[in-house]
Amino acid sequence: MAIKSLQDLFVHTLKDVYFAERQIVKALPSMAEKASDSELKKLFQTHLEETKGQVDRLEAVFGLVNERPEGEKCPAIEGIIAETEELMSEIDDADTRDAAMAAAAQAVEHYEIARYGTLVAWAELLGHKDAAKKLAETLEEEKSADAKLTRAGQRKLNQQAA
Ligand SMILES: [Fe+2]
C-alpha cells in the first residue's frame, strides 16, 4: 500500500501493530510454560488473555475507520520475539531464564507503548475520536503490563542476590 498521507500512515501502523499483537498471542503460551516463577507465569497467562482482547479491540478500530482488519509484516516484533526464543533455549538456569524472559517481555511492551502512543496521537489529529479512545485503553494496558514486569523482574533479581 502506498503511503501518501497521515491517514495512510495511521492505517499502515494499525496493520503493523495488528500483526505484532497476533505474533505476541502465538509467543506468550510457551513463555508462560517456560516460566518457573509462578507469578511470572501468571503474568504471561494474564497478558495472553489481555492481548487477545487487544486483537479484538484493534479489529473494532479498523471498523471505526472503515478499514478491513489486515496485518502487515512487522520485522521489529519478529526480531524481538526471535531473540527471546533464542535466549529461552540457551539459558538453563531457571531464575536467570525468568529474568531474561521478563526483560524480553518488557522490550515487547516498550515497542507496543511506542506504537500505541503514536497511534493515539495520530487518531486524535485525524479526528478519529472513538478509535483514539480504544487505542488509549490498550496503551494503558501495555503500560500496566510493563510496570508488573518491572516488579516481577526486580523480585526475581533480588531473590537471586539473596
Ligand atoms: Fe499488546
Side-chain angles (χ1 to χ4, degrees), residues 46-84:
T46 306
H47 197 53
L48 171 61
E49 292 317 308
E50 207 165 51
T51 304
K52 289 178 184 167
Q54 293 171 351
V55 168
D56 292 343
R57 195 178 286 137
L58 276 174
E59 288 170 358
V61 171
F62 277 108
L64 284 169
V65 299
N66 298 313
E67 293 284 339
R68 274 158 47 118
E70 226 176 80
E72 188 147 319
K73 198 171 160 70
C74 168
I77 201 74
E78 285 185 326
I80 297 173
I81 291 173
E83 199 178 332
T84 306

Side-chain angles (χ1 to χ4, degrees), residues 80-151:
I80 297 173
I81 291 173
E83 199 178 332
T84 306
E85 285 169 349
E86 203 182 307
L87 270 177
M88 280 159 63
S89 66
E90 272 175 8
I91 303 173
D92 289 328
D93 179 68
D95 285 343
T96 308
R97 192 172 51 237
D98 277 1
M101 282 193 291
Q106 279 195 284
V108 172
E109 291 312 317
H110 285 215
Y111 175 78
E112 293 188 285
I113 289 166
R115 283 288 183 253
Y116 280 106
T118 299
L119 282 168
V120 170
W122 287 346
E124 282 169 356
L125 266 173
L126 292 161
H128 302 311
K129 293 251 178 307
D130 294 339
K133 252 166 103 180
K134 285 199 177 291
L135 292 163
E137 279 175 42
T138 298
L139 178 60
E140 286 315 307
E141 283 177 4
E142 309 294 18
K143 284 182 183 170
S144 139
D146 179 49
K148 286 177 197 154
L149 284 163
T150 297
R151 288 195 292 272

